[in-house]
Amino acid sequence: MMAEPGAEPDPDTTGEWFWHQRVSPGLYLIRERFFEAAKRANIWLLQGSQRDLVVDSGLGLVNLHGFLRARGLIGSKPVLVVATHVHFDHSGGLHHFDRVAVHRAEASALVHGDNYETVTWLSDAEISKAPQPGWKADTYRVKPVHPSRVLDEGDIINLGNRQLTVLHMPGHSRGCICLHDRENRILFSGDVVYNGALIDWLPFSNISDYIRTCRRIMTLVENDLVQQVLPGHFDSFDAEILYHLTSSYVASVGVCHKISSFTLQCIATLVLWLKYRRGQNAR
C-alpha cells in the first residue's frame, strides 16, 4: 500500500508532521511522520456524501483537523472522529475535533483524561522531530474530551452514501471497536487485529474476551462479509490474512501464553499506576 508521501509541508499549520495517501476514491490514509514507525497508528479519512469520518486521531501533538482542512480533505460537511479505542496513540488528537465518538465502555476514561486507561507511554526516543521547540515526552498527556456520541454494539454511522456498523470487539481493551462497511466488505479494525503480534497484556486487556472477538471475526470471514481490512497499525490486508491472524491467536492461547500475558499485564499496570494513578490521588 505504501507509496511516496502525497503531502507537501504546510508551514502555516502542521509543517511536515503528517503524511497522507489516497487509497481509493474518498478514502485516505494519514500517518504521523516523526513518531516511531513500529508504533505509530494509522488514521483513516472516509469522505461521505453527507458527512466525513475520521477513524482514530493519532497522538494529538499537531492539529490533525487543521491539517485535513489545509489540504482540502475536509470542508463544509460535518466531520465525526471515531476512536476505535482510547489508547493514547489513537485518541490523543480527539480534542482537536468538535464531534467525537467512542464506545460506552471507555467514554468515562476519555471524559476524565485518564492517562492510566489510555496507557500513555511516550518517550523522547520515539519522536524523531519535536512538534514544537523544547517539547519533551514526559509532559505529554491525553487531554479530556467529552464525546458527542457514545457508541454501542450495532450502532450505525451514516455518511450518506456509506453506512458503517459498530462492532464491539473487546480484548485488546474493553472498549475496542471495529467499523464494518458491510456493503463494500471493508473492516476498520483498529487494534483488534493488525498484521503483527496482538497485544493482550495491557490494563483492561482480557484474553477470554479476545478469543471471543477473534472467533467472531473468523465468522465474518467465513460468511464472506470482509474482503479488505484497514487496521490501526501497519499496512492493509485481505480476508485470508485476517482469518490467519485471528485463528492463530485463538490457537496460541495456552497456559504459557496466559502466564506470560498476565506477568506483562502486572508490570504494565504497576508502571502506569505509579505514573498516573498515584499522581491523580496526590492532587
Side-chain angles (χ1 to χ4, degrees):
M1 169 187 280
M2 298 300 298
E4 288 301 312
E8 294 297 324
D10 185 344
D12 297 326
T13 54
T14 63
E16 300 178 322
W17 187 264
F18 293 107
W19 168 97
H20 80 280
Q21 178 189 31
R22 181 179 179 269
V23 177
S24 62
L27 176 64
Y28 292 83
L29 169 63
I30 300 103
R31 286 175 173 156
E32 297 175 283
R33 294 177 191 265
F34 303 114
F35 184 25
E36 186 177 331
K39 298 179 181 179
R40 63 188 173 205
N42 293 330
I43 301 164
W44 300 97
L45 170 64
L46 186 58
Q47 297 168 327
S49 60
Q50 296 179 8
R51 59 188 54 83
D52 296 332
L53 175 68
V54 177
V55 181
D56 290 328
S57 62
L59 297 173
L61 296 177
V62 175
N63 192 323
L64 174 63
H65 183 276
F67 167 79
L68 296 174
R69 184 169 291 277
R71 290 295 181 275
L73 299 175
I74 59 174
S76 59
K77 289 179 293 183
V79 179
L80 175 69
V81 56
V82 172
T84 60
H85 60 304
V86 297
H87 290 169
F88 75 100
D89 50 331
H90 298 259
S91 67
L94 295 177
H95 68 279
H96 289 133
F97 293 83
D98 293 329
R99 298 176 179 88
V100 172
V102 67
H103 189 268
R104 184 175 303 279
E106 293 179 340
S108 177
L110 192 60
V111 168
H112 293 100
D114 186 345
N115 281 271
Y116 170 77
E117 184 156 0
T118 60
V119 296
T120 303
W121 189 267
L122 188 63
S123 68
D124 290 331
E126 294 171 312
I127 303 296
S128 60
K129 181 178 180 181
Q132 298 91 26
W135 178 87
K136 294 294 182 182
D138 60 6
T139 65
Y140 173 76
R141 299 290 186 275
V142 173
K143 296 182 179 180
V145 175
H146 287 265
S148 53
R149 182 174 177 183
V150 175
L151 301 172
D152 289 301
E153 166 71 26
D155 284 354
I156 302 296
I157 297 173
N158 184 4
L159 306 184
N161 59 330
R162 301 179 80 153
Q163 288 76 42
L164 294 98
T165 303
V166 175
L167 307 178
H168 183 209
M169 298 286 201
H172 177 70
S173 78
R174 59 182 172 180
C176 269
I177 61 171
C178 296
L179 298 177
H180 186 208
D181 181 345
R182 185 176 180 126
E183 180 179 354
N184 294 290
R185 294 188 291 176
I186 294 173
L187 189 72
F188 293 88
S189 67
D191 279 7
V192 174
V193 59
Y194 46 80
N195 201 351
L198 303 184
I199 294 176
D200 58 8
W201 45 263
L202 294 169
F204 302 104
S205 295
N206 185 289
I207 289 177
S208 296
D209 285 344
Y210 222 148
I211 291 172
R212 284 189 288 270
T213 282
C214 285
R215 286 175 173 159
R216 185 181 182 191
I217 292 173
M218 291 163 64
T219 300
L220 291 176
V221 176
E222 289 166 350
N223 291 329
D224 198 25
L225 295 176
V226 176
Q227 186 175 67
Q228 182 182 23
V229 183
L230 307 180
H233 295 272
F234 313 125
D235 290 342
S236 300
F237 50 90
D238 60 19
E240 183 179 353
I241 294 175
L242 177 62
Y243 194 88
H244 171 74
L245 291 169
T246 49
S247 61
S248 295
Y249 176 82
V250 171
S252 73
V253 180
V255 173
C256 290
H257 179 97
K258 290 179 179 179
I259 292 173
S260 175
S261 292
F262 176 75
T263 302
L264 289 171
Q265 187 173 49
C266 288
I267 295 169
T269 297
L270 177 61
V271 170
L272 288 164
W273 185 86
L274 290 171
K275 187 173 184 180
Y276 296 112
R277 284 289 173 83
R278 188 175 64 175
Q280 289 176 354
N281 293 336
R283 287 200 295 267

